Amino acid sequence: MNGAIDAPAFPMARERGCPFDPPPQLRRSERISRVRIWDGSEPWLITEYDDVRALLGDPRVSADATRAGYPISTVALRAAVQRNRPFMSMDDPEHAEYRRLLTGYFSVKRLERMRPRIQQTADRLLDEMLAQPIRAADLISAFALPLPSLVICELLGVPYAERDRFHRLAGTSISTVTSAEEAGMAAEELLGLIRAVVIERQAKPADDILSHLTQSGRLSVDEITGIGKILLMAGHETSANMISLGTALLLANPEQAAALRDDDDPSVVASAVEELLRFLTVVHHGRRRLAVADIEIGGVRIEAGEGLILAIETANRDPRAFPGDPDVLDIRRNARSHLAFAFGPHQCLGQTLARMELQVAYGTLFRRVPSLALATPVHELPFKHDMRIYGLHALPVTW
Ligand code: HEM
């Protein structure tokens, strides 16, 4: 690559800035510049909203992480993708075929039927938390993690009794500090767990996604297992981190928490969810892509075969896209055009489900526990600097 000698290392550290903001050095980066990643390569970093959105939808850009030059996040992920390429790492038309098989399960109409069940689950988890003799808990283990885990297990048909195993295995897979061997073993164990469920569902189908896929007769057990792994991982880590990090941010901004709690209008919770998704952008470290044709951006020519890091986290703080200080959390802002679910062919398949989970989670939590407070100062919270999905390792709260 013909990059600058002093290209800064990527990802950049958040530690010295506000833990809810993108890293200070990333925020100072130019519209387009070179960065250096773990393998010594120097992909292009793109930071502004219009460019990031356009490139995410550009057919001259590939999501195939097995191609030479693709700026993959970690050595462990490279090994995993080479062993077993998931559909999120495929391009159309191959990728679209997989998506077509799944979109029906994540439609607004189908998921709205699940809302009462998600509400019931949230209420039950809070009943259990509030029934404890001590008015203190780790909100992640009591609420933020079990809620989306229970929902995705039920949708897929994976027994919830396996949760401790898949939480541990998913955590190892998305860590940025794990070795390729450890991640490989975790991925194999997770695939084994899901394969066993798929085989069982094949013999004894029920009303869940894995059963339906086995009955469709269009996919092999291995293909269904691969899909199950993506949905299980994507379906709980991201939502769980949004619930805990969003709650911490609201508790650190009491006037915003009060606006959410005191307004009966359900559109306020819906708008708060969009603003929290925009503000926090938990899928951080940029979306990774590869240019497959020459592309010009801001007078810079990106050549075919060069890697791209599309920073949705800075795009979501771009004042041209979100006028009126985008660094201020404002739950009444219209933030719906954010890129927290990315954009284009790979835009999050589970976004309707995620929105519903977050609306139920924040709405119920702040309404039912009005005295909720952080038990630790914000700067002492254990933020996930070591994970590809940002969030908190624990969230001690009192009420
Ligand atoms: C707040 C929660 C969530 C956030 C912030 C989030 C974010 C994202 C982002 C940014 C992408 C695009 C990745 C890329 O372009 O490289 C994505 C893709 C995806 N998400 Fe989500 N997600 C969330 C929840 C979920 C849930 C609940 C599911 C459901 C099972 C899910 C399933 C998927 C799948 C399957 C893809 C791959 C889509 C494809 O490549 O076609 N996500 N998500």
mmCIF file of all heavy atoms in Angstrom, residues 142-166:
data_model
loop_
_atom_site.group_PDB
_atom_site.id
_atom_site.type_symbol
_atom_site.label_atom_id
_atom_site.label_comp_id
_atom_site.label_asym_id
_atom_site.label_seq_id
_atom_site.Cartn_x
_atom_site.Cartn_y
_atom_site.Cartn_z
ATOM 1 N N ALA A 142 -29.125 -8.728 35.828
ATOM 2 C CA ALA A 142 -30.530 -8.811 36.263
ATOM 3 C C ALA A 142 -31.509 -8.540 35.125
ATOM 4 O O ALA A 142 -32.631 -9.042 35.129
ATOM 5 C CB ALA A 142 -30.771 -7.814 37.392
ATOM 6 N N PHE A 143 -31.089 -7.727 34.132
ATOM 7 C CA PHE A 143 -32.088 -7.233 33.182
ATOM 8 C C PHE A 143 -31.554 -7.093 31.742
ATOM 9 O O PHE A 143 -32.136 -7.668 30.809
ATOM 10 C CB PHE A 143 -32.582 -5.864 33.693
ATOM 11 C CG PHE A 143 -33.679 -5.245 32.900
ATOM 12 C CD1 PHE A 143 -34.948 -5.808 32.873
ATOM 13 C CD2 PHE A 143 -33.459 -4.071 32.177
ATOM 14 C CE1 PHE A 143 -35.978 -5.223 32.137
ATOM 15 C CE2 PHE A 143 -34.480 -3.476 31.447
ATOM 16 C CZ PHE A 143 -35.747 -4.056 31.433
ATOM 17 N N ALA A 144 -30.449 -6.368 31.580
ATOM 18 C CA ALA A 144 -30.021 -5.983 30.221
ATOM 19 C C ALA A 144 -29.619 -7.181 29.367
ATOM 20 O O ALA A 144 -29.874 -7.204 28.162
ATOM 21 C CB ALA A 144 -28.859 -4.985 30.297
ATOM 22 N N LEU A 145 -28.996 -8.187 29.977
ATOM 23 C CA LEU A 145 -28.571 -9.368 29.210
ATOM 24 C C LEU A 145 -29.683 -10.418 29.091
ATOM 25 O O LEU A 145 -29.941 -10.906 27.985
ATOM 26 C CB LEU A 145 -27.292 -9.953 29.836
ATOM 27 C CG LEU A 145 -26.623 -11.093 29.072
ATOM 28 C CD1 LEU A 145 -26.288 -10.704 27.637
ATOM 29 C CD2 LEU A 145 -25.344 -11.539 29.785
ATOM 30 N N PRO A 146 -30.375 -10.771 30.197
ATOM 31 C CA PRO A 146 -31.416 -11.805 30.041
ATOM 32 C C PRO A 146 -32.549 -11.416 29.098
ATOM 33 O O PRO A 146 -33.082 -12.285 28.410
ATOM 34 C CB PRO A 146 -31.942 -12.024 31.468
ATOM 35 C CG PRO A 146 -31.242 -11.081 32.354
ATOM 36 C CD PRO A 146 -30.129 -10.439 31.624
ATOM 37 N N LEU A 147 -32.916 -10.128 29.032
ATOM 38 C CA LEU A 147 -34.077 -9.768 28.195
ATOM 39 C C LEU A 147 -33.847 -10.131 26.716
ATOM 40 O O LEU A 147 -34.583 -10.962 26.164
ATOM 41 C CB LEU A 147 -34.436 -8.283 28.393
ATOM 42 C CG LEU A 147 -35.624 -7.786 27.564
ATOM 43 C CD1 LEU A 147 -36.917 -8.494 27.939
ATOM 44 C CD2 LEU A 147 -35.820 -6.273 27.715
ATOM 45 N N PRO A 148 -32.808 -9.573 26.058
ATOM 46 C CA PRO A 148 -32.627 -9.954 24.646
ATOM 47 C C PRO A 148 -32.226 -11.416 24.464
ATOM 48 O O PRO A 148 -32.546 -12.014 23.437
ATOM 49 C CB PRO A 148 -31.516 -9.022 24.146
ATOM 50 C CG PRO A 148 -30.864 -8.468 25.352
ATOM 51 C CD PRO A 148 -31.849 -8.532 26.468
ATOM 52 N N SER A 149 -31.561 -12.017 25.461
ATOM 53 C CA SER A 149 -31.165 -13.429 25.340
ATOM 54 C C SER A 149 -32.400 -14.317 25.314
ATOM 55 O O SER A 149 -32.503 -15.231 24.497
ATOM 56 C CB SER A 149 -30.288 -13.859 26.513
ATOM 57 O OG SER A 149 -29.109 -13.117 26.522
ATOM 58 N N LEU A 150 -33.337 -14.047 26.239
ATOM 59 C CA LEU A 150 -34.569 -14.844 26.269
ATOM 60 C C LEU A 150 -35.332 -14.704 24.960
ATOM 61 O O LEU A 150 -35.858 -15.674 24.406
ATOM 62 C CB LEU A 150 -35.458 -14.368 27.430
ATOM 63 C CG LEU A 150 -35.149 -14.991 28.775
ATOM 64 C CD1 LEU A 150 -35.641 -14.100 29.920
ATOM 65 C CD2 LEU A 150 -35.814 -16.362 28.889
ATOM 66 N N VAL A 151 -35.374 -13.466 24.439
ATOM 67 C CA VAL A 151 -36.134 -13.211 23.211
ATOM 68 C C VAL A 151 -35.520 -13.960 22.031
ATOM 69 O O VAL A 151 -36.227 -14.651 21.293
ATOM 70 C CB VAL A 151 -36.184 -11.685 22.922
ATOM 71 C CG1 VAL A 151 -36.775 -11.420 21.545
ATOM 72 C CG2 VAL A 151 -36.992 -10.968 23.991
ATOM 73 N N ILE A 152 -34.203 -13.878 21.867
ATOM 74 C CA ILE A 152 -33.591 -14.515 20.693
ATOM 75 C C ILE A 152 -33.621 -16.041 20.838
ATOM 76 O O ILE A 152 -33.796 -16.749 19.839
ATOM 77 C CB ILE A 152 -32.162 -13.958 20.407
ATOM 78 C CG1 ILE A 152 -31.697 -14.326 18.992
ATOM 79 C CG2 ILE A 152 -31.136 -14.402 21.412
ATOM 80 C CD1 ILE A 152 -32.438 -13.672 17.882
ATOM 81 N N CYS A 153 -33.473 -16.544 22.068
ATOM 82 C CA CYS A 153 -33.566 -18.000 22.273
ATOM 83 C C CYS A 153 -34.942 -18.493 21.852
ATOM 84 O O CYS A 153 -35.077 -19.506 21.171
ATOM 85 C CB CYS A 153 -33.339 -18.357 23.741
ATOM 86 S SG CYS A 153 -31.613 -18.417 24.161
ATOM 87 N N GLU A 154 -35.967 -17.753 22.241
ATOM 88 C CA GLU A 154 -37.328 -18.170 21.915
ATOM 89 C C GLU A 154 -37.571 -18.103 20.399
ATOM 90 O O GLU A 154 -38.127 -19.020 19.805
ATOM 91 C CB GLU A 154 -38.304 -17.252 22.650
ATOM 92 C CG GLU A 154 -39.695 -17.817 22.676
ATOM 93 C CD GLU A 154 -40.600 -17.028 23.614
ATOM 94 O OE1 GLU A 154 -40.185 -16.743 24.754
ATOM 95 O OE2 GLU A 154 -41.723 -16.691 23.190
ATOM 96 N N LEU A 155 -37.101 -17.025 19.782
ATOM 97 C CA LEU A 155 -37.283 -16.881 18.327
ATOM 98 C C LEU A 155 -36.595 -18.015 17.570
ATOM 99 O O LEU A 155 -37.134 -18.569 16.625
ATOM 100 C CB LEU A 155 -36.651 -15.568 17.863
ATOM 101 C CG LEU A 155 -37.543 -14.352 17.716
ATOM 102 C CD1 LEU A 155 -36.698 -13.144 17.357
ATOM 103 C CD2 LEU A 155 -38.591 -14.585 16.629
ATOM 104 N N LEU A 156 -35.372 -18.326 18.005
ATOM 105 C CA LEU A 156 -34.585 -19.334 17.282
ATOM 106 C C LEU A 156 -34.972 -20.757 17.649
ATOM 107 O O LEU A 156 -34.847 -21.676 16.844
ATOM 108 C CB LEU A 156 -33.094 -19.158 17.599
ATOM 109 C CG LEU A 156 -32.380 -18.003 16.933
ATOM 110 C CD1 LEU A 156 -30.937 -17.932 17.420
ATOM 111 C CD2 LEU A 156 -32.391 -18.147 15.419
ATOM 112 N N GLY A 157 -35.375 -20.941 18.902
ATOM 113 C CA GLY A 157 -35.631 -22.305 19.378
ATOM 114 C C GLY A 157 -34.419 -22.897 20.090
ATOM 115 O O GLY A 157 -34.295 -24.102 20.229
ATOM 116 N N VAL A 158 -33.516 -22.009 20.581
ATOM 117 C CA VAL A 158 -32.340 -22.459 21.347
ATOM 118 C C VAL A 158 -32.728 -22.482 22.828
ATOM 119 O O VAL A 158 -33.282 -21.495 23.331
ATOM 120 C CB VAL A 158 -31.147 -21.491 21.125
ATOM 121 C CG1 VAL A 158 -30.000 -21.781 22.078
ATOM 122 C CG2 VAL A 158 -30.672 -21.564 19.682
ATOM 123 N N PRO A 159 -32.472 -23.607 23.545
ATOM 124 C CA PRO A 159 -32.875 -23.650 24.963
ATOM 125 C C PRO A 159 -32.155 -22.569 25.788
ATOM 126 O O PRO A 159 -30.930 -22.449 25.714
ATOM 127 C CB PRO A 159 -32.437 -25.044 25.418
ATOM 128 C CG PRO A 159 -32.087 -25.800 24.199
ATOM 129 C CD PRO A 159 -31.817 -24.829 23.099
ATOM 130 N N TYR A 160 -32.923 -21.788 26.563
ATOM 131 C CA TYR A 160 -32.343 -20.700 27.361
ATOM 132 C C TYR A 160 -31.394 -21.249 28.426
ATOM 133 O O TYR A 160 -30.503 -20.547 28.893
ATOM 134 C CB TYR A 160 -33.472 -19.873 27.986
ATOM 135 C CG TYR A 160 -32.974 -18.647 28.709
ATOM 136 C CD1 TYR A 160 -32.277 -17.647 28.033
ATOM 137 C CD2 TYR A 160 -33.193 -18.477 30.079
ATOM 138 C CE1 TYR A 160 -31.810 -16.514 28.695
ATOM 139 C CE2 TYR A 160 -32.734 -17.345 30.752
ATOM 140 C CZ TYR A 160 -32.048 -16.379 30.055
ATOM 141 O OH TYR A 160 -31.578 -15.274 30.713
ATOM 142 N N ALA A 161 -31.574 -22.543 28.776
ATOM 143 C CA ALA A 161 -30.689 -23.170 29.768
ATOM 144 C C ALA A 161 -29.230 -23.138 29.309
ATOM 145 O O ALA A 161 -28.314 -23.238 30.129
ATOM 146 C CB ALA A 161 -31.134 -24.607 29.995
ATOM 147 N N GLU A 162 -29.011 -22.963 28.012
ATOM 148 C CA GLU A 162 -27.636 -22.927 27.479
ATOM 149 C C GLU A 162 -27.016 -21.529 27.566
ATOM 150 O O GLU A 162 -25.936 -21.299 27.051
ATOM 151 C CB GLU A 162 -27.632 -23.370 26.002
ATOM 152 C CG GLU A 162 -28.082 -24.787 25.751
ATOM 153 C CD GLU A 162 -26.993 -25.798 26.100
ATOM 154 O OE1 GLU A 162 -25.976 -25.399 26.692
ATOM 155 O OE2 GLU A 162 -27.183 -26.981 25.775
ATOM 156 N N ARG A 163 -27.742 -20.571 28.193
ATOM 157 C CA ARG A 163 -27.310 -19.171 28.087
ATOM 158 C C ARG A 163 -25.904 -18.900 28.611
ATOM 159 O O ARG A 163 -25.154 -18.137 27.999
ATOM 160 C CB ARG A 163 -28.302 -18.240 28.755
ATOM 161 C CG ARG A 163 -28.399 -18.422 30.273
ATOM 162 C CD ARG A 163 -29.558 -17.644 30.805
ATOM 163 N NE ARG A 163 -29.795 -17.848 32.217
ATOM 164 C CZ ARG A 163 -30.427 -18.905 32.725
ATOM 165 N NH1 ARG A 163 -30.842 -19.873 31.917
ATOM 166 N NH2 ARG A 163 -30.632 -19.001 34.022
ATOM 167 N N ASP A 164 -25.531 -19.527 29.726
ATOM 168 C CA ASP A 164 -24.217 -19.224 30.298
ATOM 169 C C ASP A 164 -23.130 -19.593 29.300
ATOM 170 O O ASP A 164 -22.155 -18.871 29.123
ATOM 171 C CB ASP A 164 -23.998 -19.978 31.619
ATOM 172 C CG ASP A 164 -24.842 -19.367 32.736
ATOM 173 O OD1 ASP A 164 -25.316 -18.222 32.540
ATOM 174 O OD2 ASP A 164 -25.048 -20.040 33.761
ATOM 175 N N ARG A 165 -23.346 -20.758 28.638
ATOM 176 C CA ARG A 165 -22.356 -21.188 27.657
ATOM 177 C C ARG A 165 -22.292 -20.228 26.473
ATOM 178 O O ARG A 165 -21.234 -19.786 26.078
ATOM 179 C CB ARG A 165 -22.709 -22.595 27.149
ATOM 180 C CG ARG A 165 -21.769 -23.653 27.670
ATOM 181 C CD ARG A 165 -22.255 -25.001 27.258
ATOM 182 N NE ARG A 165 -21.587 -25.481 26.068
ATOM 183 C CZ ARG A 165 -22.084 -26.420 25.260
ATOM 184 N NH1 ARG A 165 -23.257 -26.953 25.503
ATOM 185 N NH2 ARG A 165 -21.413 -26.829 24.225
ATOM 186 N N PHE A 166 -23.461 -19.867 25.911
ATOM 187 C CA PHE A 166 -23.355 -19.022 24.717
ATOM 188 C C PHE A 166 -22.969 -17.582 25.037
ATOM 189 O O PHE A 166 -22.344 -16.919 24.227
ATOM 190 C CB PHE A 166 -24.535 -19.178 23.745
ATOM 191 C CG PHE A 166 -25.844 -18.551 24.116
ATOM 192 C CD1 PHE A 166 -25.999 -17.172 24.120
ATOM 193 C CD2 PHE A 166 -26.945 -19.337 24.376
ATOM 194 C CE1 PHE A 166 -27.218 -16.599 24.417
ATOM 195 C CE2 PHE A 166 -28.175 -18.772 24.673
ATOM 196 C CZ PHE A 166 -28.308 -17.386 24.708
#
